[in-house]
Amino acid sequence: MNGKLKINSRVGWRFIGDEVASFNCANQQIVIWNHVASKLWTKMENGSSFDELVSWLMQEYSINRETAIKDIKEFLREVFDAGFIESGKSSMEDDDESKNGENALLLVEMKAIENLIPFAVTFETTYYCNENCIHCYMDSNLPSLSLSEIKRILDEIAEENCLCVTFTGGEFFVRKDALEIIKHASELHFIIDILSNGSLINKEIVNVLNSCSVRRVQVSIYGATSKTHDAITLLPGSFRRTLKGIEFLKEAGVKVEIAFPLMNKNFHERYLVRDLAKSVGCLISPSHMITARNNGSRDTFSLRLDDNQLREFLEDKELAGFYVGRKPFQDHEFYFGFSDLLEAAPCYSGFNSCAISPSGKVLPCNQLLYEVGDLRKNNFYNIWHNSPKLKYLRSLNLRDLKECANCKLLLSCARCPGLAFLEGEDLLGPSPENCRVAKINSLITNERR
């Protein structure tokens, strides 16, 4: 048992406080190791053998060899069973295990908030896209960070114990160096998510994804037919190429989730898209939120669901149940135990998460265009810990939202500061779209009583 132990290349992991959270992207299993197991994990990562782990445990905790062997075997059994070592078992994804993993990740997120650890970073790597979607909020004509700049930034956020990184665009795979970015992030032990339109994904890409710590690829679909989908992407043939990309991903064993932005132009196909997702073995993530463009234009508002359509969606327990966007403020009481909800932050972006724009600007999230730093002028450590704007955001609570704090719908509202900032140019003001959703939800709730 003197061979060196090697962690599976599809495992992402990071210290959160004094504990290691490790996630197997092949089978969606997560384990949060205790203090002793976390030390053993890092020894294993550095190439220790079984005997070396035993010797270290004996010396560190003054125990006899027989006890140390027993403890190391128990530790490695759990490591093997979760598929964390390359020769270990790697079972197919199991719904119960996946659910347990989501719960464990939630605990890590809460701990990251308490310790101001940037647990999750959304990295927009390019403004450019091969599609020209009618609802897109980005300006595709702006320059993006270079590969060397992106690698340097990834190094810096890894140093701050970021565990999850999401690569998006524009379209991530229009970058010729996209796979180099993935490989570098995987070598840094990130859990990697990718948001893509799927139309550029081929066998070369999926072979790399399947060898790296990629948890999932979220692919956008805008309808159940070429006519509807291509009318939104404005790229003929995009529906066919997107489905082919999903096929490549599924064949390679990469988890796929279908993002379905709901608009008045595709609402009639919502159940067909649901059925399409089921037929290709994918989860579906519908969203009724269509935002203003980053340049301030609100022409996209004409694409939003009308009040009747929005109500139909919110009343649909199945489809609305798949929505994974912002939760209502009443959930803060559940997650954080506030005796007075007004003590909660309006949003926890900037506490355990942030976004990086294609030009290197740091934002609390990619929806909240409130620049807190520039990574071409400063390093991530200084921005995350010392940015006056971030400190200001972290100081806010719901009492500071003068209009919203006194609203009778506050508990059931999921106000997004990004939407409020885009729609009304007021960081502390209401979001008209969130108000509309809260009012319709309130009507539905009252009628069901």
Side-chain angles (χ1 to χ4, degrees):
M1 302 183 75
N2 288 319
K4 301 295 184 182
L5 299 165
K6 187 175 182 181
I7 294 175
N8 192 325
S9 63
R10 296 207 64 190
V11 172
W13 64 274
R14 196 75 74 219
F15 269 98
I16 304 295
D18 60 356
E19 297 178 334
V20 165
S22 53
F23 187 92
N24 188 339
C25 297
N27 58 25
Q28 305 292 303
Q29 292 196 58
I30 183 171
V31 173
I32 301 173
W33 304 105
N34 64 27
H35 179 65
V36 176
S38 294
K39 288 186 176 181
L40 290 171
W41 180 275
T42 56
K43 292 284 182 184
M44 190 169 62
E45 164 63 18
N46 292 328
S48 293
S49 66
F50 177 87
D51 285 344
E52 287 170 337
L53 292 181
V54 169
S55 297
W56 175 83
L57 197 64
M58 291 171 58
Q59 181 177 355
E60 185 76 6
Y61 294 97
S62 301
I63 58 178
N64 61 48
R65 182 171 180 80
E66 183 179 351
T67 301
I69 289 175
K70 179 182 176 182
D71 290 346
I72 295 300
K73 282 184 175 179
E74 184 177 340
F75 166 70
L76 290 180
R77 187 177 298 112
E78 188 171 358
V79 169
F80 274 103
D81 285 346
F84 289 144
I85 293 180
E86 287 196 342
S87 58
K89 180 177 73 176
S90 181
S91 61
M92 295 300 291
E93 179 184 341
D94 180 272
D95 288 341
D96 291 334
E97 289 294 345
S98 180
K99 182 65 176 177
N100 291 336
E102 291 299 321
N103 291 336
L105 280 176
L106 180 60
L107 293 176
V108 176
E109 287 188 61
M110 297 302 103
K111 189 170 184 177
I113 287 174
E114 293 171 2
N115 293 278
L116 291 182
I117 295 171
F119 164 82
V121 171
T122 299
F123 205 144
E124 296 177 323
T125 59
T126 179
Y127 290 105
Y128 185 68
C129 184
N130 60 315
E131 297 181 345
N132 190 29
C133 296
I134 58 177
H135 65 291
C136 183
Y137 54 81
M138 278 194 157
D139 185 341
S140 63
N141 297 313
L142 299 174
S144 304
L145 295 165
S146 66
L147 176 61
S148 61
E149 288 175 314
I150 288 176
K151 285 185 173 181
R152 188 258 303 170
I153 292 168
L154 289 173
D155 292 343
E156 291 179 2
I157 63 176
E159 282 292 318
E160 293 306 304
N161 284 323
C162 171
L163 176 61
C164 302
V165 63
T166 298
F167 292 118
T168 181
E171 169 52 43
F172 176 58
F173 289 112
V174 299
R175 289 193 66 117
K176 302 299 184 184
D177 52 14
L179 296 183
E180 290 302 311
I181 294 171
I182 292 293
K183 291 175 184 176
H184 188 72
S186 188
E187 289 168 359
L188 292 170
H189 313 303
F190 285 106
I191 298 172
I192 302 166
D193 287 346
I194 301 169
L195 308 186
S196 170
N197 62 43
S199 66
L200 300 176
I201 292 175
N202 55 34
K203 289 186 177 180
E204 178 191 2
I205 288 173
V206 298
N207 287 338
V208 172
L209 301 188
N210 193 36
S211 67
C212 295
S213 54
V214 175
R215 173 172 59 173
R216 65 178 173 179
V217 179
Q218 187 182 74
V219 178
S220 298
I221 283 185
Y222 303 107
T225 61
S226 294
K227 180 180 178 181
T228 301
H229 179 92
D230 294 359
I232 290 174
T233 65
L234 301 182
L235 179 66
S238 58
F239 182 66
R240 174 181 53 81
R241 289 195 287 271
T242 292
L243 291 182
K244 189 64 178 177
I246 291 174
E247 181 182 330
F248 282 135
L249 290 164
K250 295 293 290 184
E251 287 177 351
V254 178
K255 184 177 180 180
V256 182
E257 180 180 284
I258 289 178
F260 179 39
L262 285 160
M263 294 172 252
N264 52 40
K265 293 181 178 294
N266 63 12
F267 187 68
H268 62 289
E269 291 188 358
R270 62 194 183 282
Y271 296 122
L272 293 175
V273 173
R274 176 203 60 188
D275 294 343
L276 173 63
K278 288 180 180 178
S279 72
V280 294
C282 297
L283 297 173
I284 185 172
S285 178
S287 174
H288 52 290
M289 289 296 177
I290 300 297
T291 71
R293 302 190 197 275
N294 285 358
N295 63 10
S297 173
R298 302 179 186 180
D299 63 311
T300 52
F301 289 7
S302 65
L303 301 171
R304 287 174 169 172
L305 302 182
D306 63 32
D307 287 356
N308 290 330
Q309 291 171 326
L310 180 57
R311 178 172 181 142
E312 279 188 60
F313 171 68
L314 296 174
E315 283 181 323
D316 188 325
K317 292 184 178 180
E318 181 192 17
L319 272 184
F322 291 136
Y323 176 61
V324 294
R326 285 181 59 84
K327 303 300 182 184
F329 283 122
Q330 60 192 6
D331 283 10
H332 289 305
E333 293 181 307
F334 173 76
Y335 292 132
F336 301 104
F338 286 108
S339 57
D340 181 356
L341 182 61
L342 295 180
E343 294 176 2
C347 179
Y348 284 89
S349 295
F351 286 79
N352 70 346
S353 62
C354 67
I356 299 168
S357 78
S359 59
K361 303 294 192 296
V362 179
L363 310 168
C365 83
N366 61 337
Q367 188 67 74
L368 179 52
L369 305 183
Y370 182 77
E371 184 185 331
V372 299
D374 187 340
L375 286 163
R376 279 178 161 162
K377 298 177 181 178
N378 208 340
N379 62 48
F380 185 82
Y381 174 90
N382 283 331
I383 293 170
W384 183 255
H385 294 285
N386 301 317
S387 165
K389 287 187 173 181
L390 259 185
K391 289 181 178 179
Y392 168 68
L393 285 179
R394 292 167 182 162
S395 73
L396 296 174
N397 57 41
L398 289 177
R399 281 195 181 86
D400 296 307
L401 310 181
K402 301 304 182 186
E403 187 172 340
C404 297
N406 298 309
C407 179
K408 64 181 181 180
L409 299 179
L410 178 65
L411 279 178
S412 58
C413 181
R415 175 193 176 274
C416 170
L419 280 179
F421 198 48
L422 267 175
E423 293 177 355
E425 300 180 359
D426 184 355
L427 195 61
L428 303 181
S431 156
E433 182 63 2
N434 287 136
C435 293
R436 182 170 77 113
V437 172
K439 288 173 183 176
I440 292 175
N441 264 325
S442 177
L443 289 173
I444 294 171
T445 300
N446 290 335
E447 289 175 6
R448 284 175 176 169
R449 287 174 179 168

